[in-house]
Structures are given as C-alpha cells and as structure tokens.
C-alpha cells in the first residue's frame, strides 16, 4: 500500500511536469509595484509610531492601557513588519 506522502509527491510531480513552462514562473514586479509597496510599508510604520506615541503618552499621564489598546498596538506592529517584508520581497524581484 502506498503512503499518503508518496501519493502526494507523485501527484505533484505529474502535475508539475504537465504544466507549460510559462505557467510555473512567478509574475515579475514593476518599479511601480515596488513604489506602491514601499508607500504602504511607510504608512504602516507611521501608523505604528503614532499609535505607540499615544500609548506611551497615556502611560506617562498615569493611565493604564486596556487589553484592546495593547492588542491594537501589537496588531499594528505585525502589520508594520508584514508590510515591510512584502515591500522587500517585491522590490527585490524588480
């Protein structure tokens, strides 16, 4: 009896070998795509820094950010990292 792993590998190889050569190549990015991705990453950086500044100001004023504010800051940090990585990926392919 064939294992699942062997069966999947065989199916993948058969599918890949039957595709035309152009179907496998990834689309290339343009300089405009790079500029757009950079702008999105810069905006995500600005959004994170603004949120971080408000968060720290609230703490400096004796406030205690609640869980939703901490989560929003963490989400903005993830968004910033993701946008920067995406811009780097796109711009490296130009």
């Amino acid at each position: 009896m064939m294992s699942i792993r062997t069966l999947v590998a065989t199916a993948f190889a058969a599918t890949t070998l039957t595709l035309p050569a152009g179907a496998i190549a990834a689309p290339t990015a343009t300089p405009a795509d790079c500029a757009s991705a950079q702008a999105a990453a810069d905006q995500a950086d600005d959004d994170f820094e603004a949120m971080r500044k408000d968060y720290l100001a609230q703490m400096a004023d004796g406030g205690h950010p609640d869980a939703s504010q901490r989560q929003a800051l963490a989400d903005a940090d993830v968004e910033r990292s993701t946008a920067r990585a995406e811009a780097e990926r796109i711009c490296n392919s130009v």
Side-chain angles (χ1 to χ4, degrees):
M1 180 171 193
M2 221 187 252
S3 73
I4 295 291
R5 189 175 287 168
T6 305
L7 186 60
V8 170
T10 304
F12 177 75
T15 303
T16 304
L17 293 174
T18 60
L19 290 174
I24 297 173
T28 58
T30 64
D33 294 335
C34 177
S36 177
Q38 284 288 79
D42 292 342
Q43 183 62 48
D45 279 339
D46 293 344
D47 292 346
F48 172 77
E49 288 303 324
M51 190 176 292
R52 183 175 171 271
K53 180 180 173 187
D54 290 342
Y55 182 88
L56 293 175
Q58 182 181 3
M59 289 177 55
D61 290 339
H64 299 285
D66 63 14
S68 66
Q69 291 168 314
R70 290 189 301 270
Q71 186 62 50
L73 185 62
D75 290 345
D77 188 27
V78 169
E79 177 70 25
R80 175 180 67 144
S81 298
T82 303
R84 185 59 58 202
E86 181 71 5
E88 188 174 316
R89 183 190 66 76
I90 290 172
C91 293
N92 284 340
S93 69
V94 172

